[in-house]
Amino acid sequence: MKKQFVNLFYKKKHRFLNPLLFIVVVLIAFLPSCTQKKQPVFSSNDQAKIITTMTDIMIQDITNPPLAARFFSYTCLAGYEVVSQYNPSFKSMYGKLNGYPVIKKAVPVQPYSNQLSALIAMMETAKKLQPSGPLLAAFEKDFLDSCRKTGIDEAVITNSTNYAMSVSQQILAYAKADGYNKISNLSRYTPAKGDGYWYPTPPAFMGAVEPYFNTVRPFALDSASQFKPLQPVAYSGVKGSPFYALAEAVYKEKNILPEDHRVIASFWDCNPFAVQDGGHLMYGIKKISPGAHWLGISGIACARAKKSFEETLQVYTSVSIGLMDAFICCWDEKYRSNRVRPETAIRKLIDPTWEPLLQTPPFPEYLSGHSVASAASSVILTHYFGDHFAYRDSVEVAYGLPARNFESFHQAAEEAAISRFYGGIHFMDAITNGLQQGTKVGELVLKKLTNQ
């Protein structure tokens, strides 16, 4: 090449070519680089908008916490798989997650955008998983219209969409194989009879939520019972017994309830089943799930740390995988021990008129799901951001609650866990043992994802 270049610009005896010819040759040499368009650039905020839209739809659909984690995990996996196919720094989940297939890499038609494909893969997956998928389809349409308005070529959008759909279809097949769709064929759950067992609680007396979620294939766990916790304190109506002491502690907390405890309980409520009794009519109160809250925290942390588009998607995916496995093993224990809620026990043993601060969710008490999910999430987020990552949690501002400041993710997880005691919906052993189980889940997920 160097010799050819010299021959073009020099004649014999080192005399220059005609100046006009020189200009023409230089223009031809640089023309390809001038006509190549740069890839459109997207940010972690675009991913956050998808997560937020999914959350809004889940509120409308009254999506339960375990199922919400399932929707988030496969949605994030679809986007992450696109990232892993074009960026060698991010490895595919093949060989890391249970049953994860080799995702066939379609050869994208040029021109296309890697990042746009990742976002579309997320939206295509979410809208086929969530019951109110058409609402997300409308969001996707608006999003792509905004891309057009910013000058992104129609060919880029079309080719990016085709590539994204190829990946999404394979992730959806992986999701279908996890066994969740078989749950509807199982027998209807009937509450056990006996004073120590869970029974539907006021005001709506809803039936048990996801009693068979432990049959769903986990991502990292060997089985739903891999981290089986200590047995809960056995029920007893005898004053002075360990169980009576647990119930009495919840009862006394409600009677005292300092204002800071009330604020903490409300901030971490995250009960999508909460309803308001209006006398002749009950209506739902808009609240997000624990998983949605922790993914919101993940987005805040990524923005504060200025994580790249790819790094942010890795964080979202890791946390959502941890949430899924946390709920699988927690729900496994809930319907094994099947322990009564404080509201039911306290009304029978101590005060028949007693009501908790928070509304009791419709499933057994032991373990505390928020404790397990929060501990798992905090372990994973600490891996990516460090032990002392301070942040301001504004996730619940949209739902009428002021932001709170935290010095670390572990501090937030511990506060989320104790909020269940302050709110009167969990006994203390369900909280402490829930934190332990969640920590083990988070550590296992990281071990599998990072091959440590």
Side-chain angles (χ1 to χ4, degrees), residues 20 81 90 108 128 134 142 147 159 162 179 202 233-234 281 284 313 347 354 392 417 420 434-435:
L20 180 59
E81 186 62 36
F90 301 89
K128 291 180 175 64
D142 291 342
C147 290
N159 296 336
N162 291 337
V233 173
L281 179 69
L313 194 42
R347 286 187 173 191
W354 187 84
R392 185 170 179 79
R420 321 319 271 168
L435 285 171

Side-chain angles (χ1 to χ4, degrees), residues 62-133:
I62 316 178
T63 304
N64 64 66
L67 188 56
R70 182 174 180 267
F71 291 160
F72 285 131
S73 59
Y74 289 116
T75 294
C76 292
L77 271 171
Y80 177 82
E81 186 62 36
V82 174
V83 167
S84 73
Q85 290 189 357
Y86 73 79
N87 191 324
S89 298
F90 301 89
K91 305 300 182 183
S92 171
M93 294 296 177
Y94 176 72
K96 298 180 180 182
L97 303 182
N98 298 328
Y100 196 82
V102 175
I103 304 297
K104 296 179 181 178
K105 183 177 181 180
V107 179
V109 177
Q110 295 289 350
Y112 84 107
S113 164
N114 295 318
Q115 293 181 347
L116 181 57
S117 290
L119 294 171
I120 296 174
M122 293 177 70
M123 292 182 282
E124 286 292 320
T125 303
K127 74 182 186 184
K128 291 180 175 64
L129 286 172
Q130 295 188 249
S132 295

